[in-house]
Amino acid sequence: MKQSAARKGSRSGSPTFAVAFGGGGARGLAHIHAIEVMNELGVEPVMIAGSSIGAIMGGAMASGMSGREINEYAHSILGRRAEVASRMWRARPGTFAEFVSGGLRIGQFNIERLLDVFLPEQIPERFEDLKIPLKVTATDYFQHELAVFDSGELRSAMAASAAIPAVFRPVRRDGRTLIDGGIYSPVPFELLDNVADIVIAIDVVGAPTPDGKKTPTTIELLFGATQLMMQSINALKLRSQRPEIFLRPPVSRFRALDFLKISAVMAETASLKDELKLAVADAVARYEEAAEG
């Protein structure tokens, strides 16, 4: 990733880090491994950027939660079907009027209500109360552009970033209609340009994989086509701008809504820990070599 002239000319001491957490639904549970490694290595990002599930994980880390705390919290809910069902029930519309507000949307859940009952209480209401600066992406549906939030109300920004089309209702904020931030920026490392010496980017988009069926279902095609689109965006961005560390844990066999498979996702992606440790060591060595030069 390109660095400003000021940063290039001031290499001294330990390098600074920033991290971009990508979108991918339940596949983004793998981000917990990355947070645990950063805690273990004593790496505290000077800024975090996140899209979709990456915005939620980024918000948890930015609030001061450790990887271990996030891991335990996620397992305490997603590892228990009864707990998930209970919280889903609490997120239901309070009245029929609320259920049909904006038109009857069968199959579209209110992501803001869901986050209200699923997010840990440690995540504050506003960006300004976070311990680490955070940038959250969303897609402005009618303006056809990336929306980036880093101040004001936090939870509506996170909800907008995670509003997967056809699954969740769009989020209205500041007069804008917002959907999944991963549509425009699956791994928002570009938001961290010139912010830190070393940028870590974690891609959990995955790709369609054969499962023995002859033809994918309509829903599988919808999500699979979205994965292909996001990967094409990533490939295009990486040609012109590449972070110091860009990792892809093995998440492709999981679907975007496989949150109840948290134990399997975490087990399948455990290799990310060693990969990130090695990548950080290599990046720091390159930084120190450049500083000495």
Side-chain angles (χ1 to χ4, degrees), residues 238-259:
L238 288 169
R239 288 194 192 105
S240 59
Q241 180 182 4
R242 191 174 188 93
E244 285 72 23
I245 298 173
F246 187 87
L247 298 177
R248 286 186 168 120
V251 296
S252 291
R253 79 178 183 91
F254 299 102
R255 296 172 296 184
L257 300 180
D258 277 345
F259 287 99

Side-chain angles (χ1 to χ4, degrees), residues 2-280:
K2 293 181 293 183
Q3 294 178 313
S4 65
R7 184 170 296 283
K8 285 182 178 179
S10 60
R11 285 175 175 268
S12 61
S14 301
T16 55
F17 289 83
V19 59
F21 294 118
R27 296 182 288 266
L29 293 168
H31 290 316
I32 297 173
H33 290 310
I35 297 172
E36 289 179 324
V37 167
M38 284 186 277
N39 294 160
E40 182 181 337
L41 298 178
V43 170
E44 181 170 326
V46 296
M47 184 174 288
I48 300 170
S51 289
S52 199
I53 186 66
I56 295 172
M57 290 295 177
M61 185 181 191
S63 71
M65 293 182 72
S66 68
R68 180 177 179 179
E69 289 172 329
I70 298 170
N71 196 343
E72 290 176 349
Y73 181 84
H75 273 93
S76 72
I77 297 173
L78 301 177
R80 300 160 57 198
R81 289 178 179 270
E83 181 65 24
V84 172
S86 173
R87 291 178 185 247
M88 291 291 289
W89 177 253
R90 284 160 50 192
R92 73 193 188 283
T95 64
F96 181 75
E98 183 181 349
F99 178 66
V100 299
S101 64
L104 188 62
R105 296 184 171 98
I106 302 299
Q108 284 189 293
F109 296 96
N110 186 322
I111 182 66
E112 292 179 89
R113 290 184 69 96
L114 283 172
L115 291 190
D116 281 342
V117 299
F118 276 96
L119 287 181
E121 61 182 17
Q122 291 94 323
I123 297 180
E125 297 292 331
R126 300 182 63 80
F127 280 90
E128 289 79 5
D129 295 322
L130 293 168
K131 293 180 171 59
I132 301 172
L134 173 69
K135 291 181 180 290
V136 169
T137 70
T139 298
D140 190 318
Y141 185 74
F142 290 113
Q143 292 301 315
H144 322 145
E145 64 184 12
L146 184 70
V148 180
F149 298 96
D150 58 8
S151 63
E153 191 179 66
L154 173 59
R155 300 215 172 186
S156 66
M158 294 169 69
S161 189
I164 301 172
V167 177
F168 300 116
R169 295 183 184 185
V171 171
R172 292 283 296 173
R173 173 171 167 150
D174 303 331
R176 309 166 86 177
T177 299
L178 303 165
I179 61 172
D180 191 348
I183 299 296
Y184 258 78
S185 186
V187 189
F189 56 82
E190 72 280 5
L191 301 182
L192 302 174
D193 194 20
N194 296 325
V195 167
D197 299 305
I198 297 172
V199 172
I200 300 169
I202 310 295
D203 174 14
V204 293
V205 170
T209 56
D211 61 0
K213 297 180 181 178
K214 291 183 179 179
T215 305
T217 66
T218 299
I219 295 299
E220 288 169 343
L221 285 169
L222 173 64
F223 281 111
T226 301
Q227 285 177 288
L228 295 176
M229 178 198 70
M230 290 179 173
Q231 289 294 10
S232 69
I233 293 172
N234 283 337
L236 184 62
K237 289 200 303 180
L238 288 169
R239 288 194 192 105
S240 59
Q241 180 182 4
R242 191 174 188 93
E244 285 72 23
I245 298 173
F246 187 87
L247 298 177
R248 286 186 168 120
V251 296
S252 291
R253 79 178 183 91
F254 299 102
R255 296 172 296 184
L257 300 180
D258 277 345
F259 287 99
L260 291 175
K261 296 182 179 180
I262 180 171
S263 294
V265 173
M266 297 298 288
E268 185 84 3
T269 59
S271 59
L272 176 61
K273 285 191 168 186
D274 288 337
E275 287 184 60
L276 183 54
K277 288 177 184 178
L278 290 172
V280 168

